[in-house]
Amino acid sequence: MSTQKFATKALHAGHDVNQNGGTRAVPIYQSTAYVFNDADHAANLFALAETGHIYTRINNPTNGILEERLSALEGGIAAVVTASGTAAISTTLLTLLKAGDHIVASNSLYGGTYNLLSVTLPRHGVTTTFVDPSDPENFEKAAQENTRTFFIESLGNPKLDILDIEAISKHAKTYKVPLIVDNTVATPYLLNPISYGANIVIHSLTKYINGNGTALGGVIIDAGTFDWTNGKFPEFTEPSAGYHGLVYSDALEAAAFIAKVRIEGLRDYGGALSPFNAFQIIQGLETLELRIKKHSENALELAKWLQEQPEVNWVNYPGLETSPYKHLAKKYLSEGQSGIVTFGVKGGYESAKKIADTTKLFSLLANIGDTKSLIIHPASTTHQQLSDEAQESTGVTKDLIRLSVGIENIDDLKEDLKSAFEVIKKTVLA
Ligand SMILES: *Cc1c(COP(=O)(O)O)cnc(C)c1O
């Protein structure tokens, strides 16, 4: 393991300038396929007897540098990048599970993930039980004979609940299933789930890691710590019909899962990342530490300021003294709590909608993790299709406004919100 610190790895890991023509920046290898030396070389590559490149849906040199860098930053053994965070989640689950299998998941999940687990995967015979993650025992209580994974987000969006990864990972270990952690909101700078027992870490690279709102991407990182030979995963211990009888756990040992993600998951489901997007994401990743420190600093200051505003009923940010997750923030997010802040306004649904409609610096859109500040009213947008009950469990109340606090000057951000509060005072609250 390298002893280099985060900022150094974020700039250098995976890129050997001598191997890439001396280019100081990571070059874009915008090629779909690679010329083989001869027919034997080609046969060896397909047989996995030699490593190399065949076709960009499976691997690519630019993507490979991003994979090595992200794996180094999370403390994994290897990674696979994908077309989006959603592709990372679906490719992981489709590689791991089959019809008849079951997932236990936290009930505070990104909306798209919640839909995948609650509506789409059941159509393919994979079901999920959602549990309140604030009591880690709930995961084992909900586990069934056919349960094959526990799925959580380290810092739930938009509930901003911090999960006790270490405690949940102990239950996953007892139950002999891998723990998958979506670490998108926390980012690898603030939190490394693998050091608390996560077996697979997923990110949407679209958010803080790219950070500029210019490219979709995702990654799957394998800790290499799960025992696939424990009897619950025959796809890894029996000859694979999908790869001429390859026994993944014998041939690839600790890397069995991530190898299967690449050579069967990417090959068959096709969610590969464009090398151009990988290049964009690499530019962002170089400054992740600087940006996430500023996002966290701005978010904390804005959250404290919001608590003092007469139009505001409540503020949720894991860095506040009043946060119910303060003790978990100390353990898991001691360097900062990222850039998402939620708050409730007087006047409920109408006020919240009006504020989202009125701010100028805070752009009204459905994304997070951009350098520019963003705002949304989930009850009328991202969570509109959910039932009242489902809204409640994902932490979305009618009066809730979600901010993704950018890295602008904090005074300008306060001024923008203040102007919006003046407008609701004269309209909805008048
Ligand atoms: C955005 C997001 C995703 C999905 O990522 P895309 O890149 O938009 O597909 C998954 N999980 C979390 C926590 C997210 O915020």
Side-chain angles (χ1 to χ4, degrees), residues 6 74 153-157 160-163 165 181-193 196 201-204 207-209 288-289 291-293 295-296 317-318 328-329 332-340 368-369:
F6 188 93
E74 279 290 15
E153 285 176 17
S154 49
L155 176 56
N157 166 20
L160 303 179
D161 49 339
I162 299 173
L163 271 65
I165 301 169
V181 180
D182 179 337
N183 197 32
T184 299
V185 181
T187 82
Y189 174 67
L190 297 174
L191 172 65
N192 289 135
Y196 297 102
V201 174
I202 284 172
H203 285 277
S204 166
K207 313 295 169 56
Y208 289 105
I209 289 180
L288 178 64
E289 175 169 333
R291 285 184 289 107
I292 206 73
K293 280 178 174 166
H295 281 293
S296 300
Y317 183 67
L328 287 169
Y332 291 104
L333 295 170
S334 61
E335 297 294 310
Q337 296 78 37
S338 198
I340 314 297
I368 57 166

Side-chain angles (χ1 to χ4, degrees), residues 85-86 88-93 96-97 102-110 112-114 116-117 121 128-131 133 139 147-154 163 168 172 177-184 200-203:
T86 304
I89 294 168
S90 60
T91 306
T92 295
L93 296 175
L96 210 54
L97 307 172
H102 174 256
I103 302 167
V104 180
S106 153
N107 66 10
S108 95
L109 293 177
Y110 175 70
T113 308
Y114 183 82
L116 172 70
L117 299 185
L121 283 181
T128 296
T129 303
F130 296 95
V131 299
F139 286 83
T147 301
R148 288 296 175 270
T149 189
F150 292 173
F151 187 100
I152 63 172
E153 285 176 17
S154 49
L163 271 65
I168 297 166
V177 296
L179 173 64
I180 305 174
V181 180
D182 179 337
N183 197 32
T184 299
I200 297 164
V201 174
I202 284 172
H203 285 277

